[in-house]
Structure formats: structure tokens, C-alpha cells
Amino acid sequence: MAGSLTAACLMAVSSVSTAQAAADPIGEEAFITGGDMPSHPDGWYSHGPVQGLPEVPVFCFEDELPAEDSWHTSFWTEMDTSGLQVVVETGDAAEAAALVGALNEAAADCAADWLRENPGSTAAWDDYGTVEGADGGHIYGVHVAPPESGTGVSLFGIGQDGTRVTLIDWRQMGNLEHAPVGEFTTTLTTALGKLGA
């Protein structure tokens, strides 16, 4: 599962057009870098920020993230680990809070929704709680395992600073026991500190 998602991420990165890569009005300083992601022995590669959403819909959040006023940075390694940060500039703080609420709900419902769409599979999730910084953040973990296929685990960090909302996605092969929650907490804390830049 995670391997195919990583391949899809790489495909999306390679298909970014010159027009999409136009200047980012939010600014690169509002995004995390590969060095801010949980450590990986092969190191991280990145591309972005790029205007709009990735061409491949973001797992668990296909219907919640708005394409307009969004930017994203993609991260990947030479192995089976990948990541993504999406930043959305909303109209006001109330709109941002509503988007955060929708993203939190989608993260909490993701495993159950995926199981309904993939009978015979297994899935699990965990709520790793809140993270301090800016207007606050929250971390979730989701594990999915299609029948007779590899298993994948994702960590999602959702946060807000004023009118801006961010979603950070880390994923690799494995289950919830393999998720680097402590390091990812630092990742989200760093992202919240940069979000208002």
C-alpha cells in the first residue's frame, strides 16, 4: 500500500508543470523542509512549494482540501517513505477553523471509511492528541492493510495559524507500531512555528 502511494507521489512530482511552479505568494519560509521531517537513513528529497494540490488525491482527505488558495511540498526517500505538506490560505480565521474541523473529522473517520470501501481488508487508527503552537495542532495515525498485499501506515498532522491551515502527511510500509510519533510531533510543532511566516 505505502509503496504504491510513494510511487504515486513520485509520479505527481514528475508531472508538475512550469506554470504550477510559479512563485508562491505564501513563501517558502512558511513550509517545513526535509530536515524537519522524521529522520530517515537515506535522507529526504523534496519539491515545492507548488501552487495547488497534488495530482494524486491526498489519502483520507480527498474531499476536504480545497484546490484554490492551496500550495504543497512533496517529500520522498529512496526507499518506501514519503511525505507531503499542504498549506491553505483561507478567507478568515473562522473559515480556517472550519477547515481544521473537517480535516480532523476526516482523519478520525479514515480507517472506518476505508474499510467500508475495501471489504476483507484490515485497518486501525489512533489519536495521538494535540500539539501546542500557533492556534494548535493535532496528530492522527492510520494503518491500512489490503488482503494479500503490503501494509501501510500514515501519520497526519493538522494545524492552524490565523487564516492558514496546514496538513502534513508522513507514510511508509508498516503499522502503527512503526510510526515515529515523537519525531512527527516535533515536525508538526516546527510547521506551526513556520506557518505564519
Side-chain angles (χ1 to χ4, degrees), residues 107-141:
D109 293 343
C110 180
D113 290 344
W114 188 85
L115 276 178
R116 279 191 292 270
E117 297 171 1
N118 297 272
S121 303
T122 60
W125 76 288
D126 207 341
D127 182 339
Y128 294 113
T130 58
V131 172
E132 294 185 1
D135 294 322
H138 209 115
I139 294 176
Y140 301 87

Side-chain angles (χ1 to χ4, degrees), residues 48-145:
V50 176
Q51 190 168 8
L53 296 176
E55 291 186 12
V56 178
V58 183
F59 179 58
C60 295
F61 307 98
E62 295 88 344
D63 300 323
E64 283 73 29
L65 289 168
E68 187 176 356
D69 298 322
S70 294
W71 291 261
H72 72 277
T73 297
S74 299
F75 303 93
W76 67 96
T77 70
E78 293 183 359
M79 297 297 290
D80 61 357
T81 309
S82 63
L84 176 74
Q85 181 182 18
V86 177
V87 174
V88 182
E89 181 71 76
T90 65
D92 54 42
E95 184 179 339
L99 176 57
V100 166
L103 294 174
N104 281 324
E105 184 176 353
D109 293 343
C110 180
D113 290 344
W114 188 85
L115 276 178
R116 279 191 292 270
E117 297 171 1
N118 297 272
S121 303
T122 60
W125 76 288
D126 207 341
D127 182 339
Y128 294 113
T130 58
V131 172
E132 294 185 1
D135 294 322
H138 209 115
I139 294 176
Y140 301 87
V142 174
H143 161 66
V144 296

